[in-house]
Amino acid sequence: DYTGLNEAKNRAEEILSDGNVYTDSTRTALETALENANAVDEGLLVGSQQTIDELEAALEEAISKIALKADYTELNNEIELAEGVLADGNVYTNSTKTALEEALAEAKAVEKDLPQTEQTQIEAALTKLRDARTAIKEKADYSEYDAVKEKLEAMIEAGNNGKYDETAWESFVENFEFANGNLDRDLSVDDQAVIDVTKQELEMLEAEILSKEYADYTGLNEAKNRAEEILSDGNVYTDS
């Protein structure tokens, strides 16, 4: 009796041609079960009924498990947008760039053959990725600050060597280390003013220490030595 098997085959063919998108795994299982059912010989004797019944059961099971595929459209679009941001050549803050990279990796790791019953997994990855993309921030410009910082670091590395008032020098070094150490190196363009203010603080420190530089007596001392040599050389010079 092929009645049950034929009915199952008809239902399977309708499912596979209804235009819906099913998960790859359940669609493949149904196609395989249908192929096996179609391969059975027609006109088998009653003694082969078990074979027919087994094929029908396998086909019915595949039909019962067929599952509509979840919608990945928005997630795939968001993945493209995120990849575009990361490849656009702009310099972003480390924190927001890392957050986007992590969200992108998680989005790409979502299983690609989920049924509609697992749509929430896709939506969660989509939300996290979109939030990370829209939250990304361009990094502030530290170039002018770094130029001043490097100049003062060179001064400190060279040392005082008696060139500046010692108390003023110690204060200069301490204040520089405090200002530089407290500046966040991952600020966004929204906080550019913080960097600019800190740069001005360093410039003020530089001006202050330069004002404490001892006068240079080198030329005067050389002139004094020459004068003393002249006055003691035994020659007689005019009184004036």
Side-chain angles (χ1 to χ4, degrees):
D1 183 0
Y2 290 79
T3 305
L5 179 60
N6 287 335
E7 290 176 351
K9 285 166 59 176
N10 289 337
R11 290 200 304 278
E13 289 170 351
E14 288 176 3
I15 290 171
L16 293 174
S17 62
D18 65 8
N20 290 320
V21 179
Y22 298 99
T23 62
D24 295 337
S25 56
T26 60
R27 183 181 182 87
T28 297
L30 181 57
E31 289 172 338
T32 299
L34 179 59
E35 182 179 344
N36 292 337
N38 285 329
V40 69
D41 292 334
E42 297 288 340
L44 291 177
L45 299 178
V46 173
S48 299
Q49 186 66 46
Q50 182 178 352
T51 299
I52 296 171
D53 293 343
E54 289 175 351
L55 289 170
E56 179 187 349
L59 191 52
E60 290 287 3
E61 181 180 7
I63 290 172
S64 69
K65 291 183 177 179
I66 195 76
L68 289 169
K69 191 169 185 175
D71 185 1
Y72 290 79
T73 305
E74 288 190 63
L75 180 61
N76 290 335
N77 289 340
E78 189 60 42
I79 286 173
E80 289 185 11
L81 290 173
E83 289 176 332
V85 168
L86 293 173
D88 65 11
N90 290 324
V91 178
Y92 297 101
T93 62
N94 295 330
S95 56
T96 60
K97 182 179 180 181
T98 297
L100 180 57
E101 290 172 336
E102 290 176 352
L104 178 59
E106 290 180 20
K108 287 184 172 182
V110 171
E111 186 182 335
K112 298 301 186 288
D113 195 37
L114 290 173
Q116 281 186 355
T117 53
E118 299 296 333
Q119 185 71 39
T120 53
Q121 287 190 41
I122 298 171
E123 297 302 322
L126 169 63
T127 298
K128 184 173 183 178
L129 183 56
R130 180 185 291 130
D131 289 348
R133 178 180 61 79
T134 56
I136 200 162
K137 295 285 188 180
E138 286 191 45
K139 192 167 185 175
D141 182 5
Y142 286 78
S143 59
E144 292 186 9
Y145 170 83
D146 285 338
V148 177
K149 176 180 76 76
E150 290 167 7
K151 181 167 62 171
L152 299 192
E153 284 175 335
M155 287 177 61
I156 293 172
E157 184 178 356
N160 185 4
N161 300 317
K163 189 175 182 180
Y164 305 98
D165 175 79
E166 187 59 35
T167 301
W169 176 261
E170 291 176 358
S171 177
F172 163 68
V173 173
E174 181 180 347
N175 290 331
F176 169 79
E177 291 175 348
F178 179 82
N180 186 53
N182 282 277
L183 179 63
D184 187 344
R185 293 294 304 189
D186 196 37
L187 294 175
S188 74
V189 290
D190 295 340
D191 295 314
Q192 183 66 48
V194 175
I195 301 169
D196 296 340
V197 168
T198 307
K199 177 180 77 77
Q200 291 171 1
E201 291 175 357
L202 296 191
E203 290 172 336
M204 291 172 63
L205 287 176
E206 180 186 17
E208 177 67 19
I209 191 61
L210 291 178
S211 73
K212 301 299 181 181
E213 183 177 2
Y214 289 127
D216 186 0
Y217 289 81
T218 304
L220 177 60
N221 289 334
E222 290 177 353
K224 284 167 61 179
N225 290 336
R226 289 199 305 276
E228 289 171 351
E229 288 176 3
I230 292 172
L231 294 174
S232 62
D233 64 6
N235 293 320
V236 178
Y237 298 99
T238 63
D239 295 336
S240 58

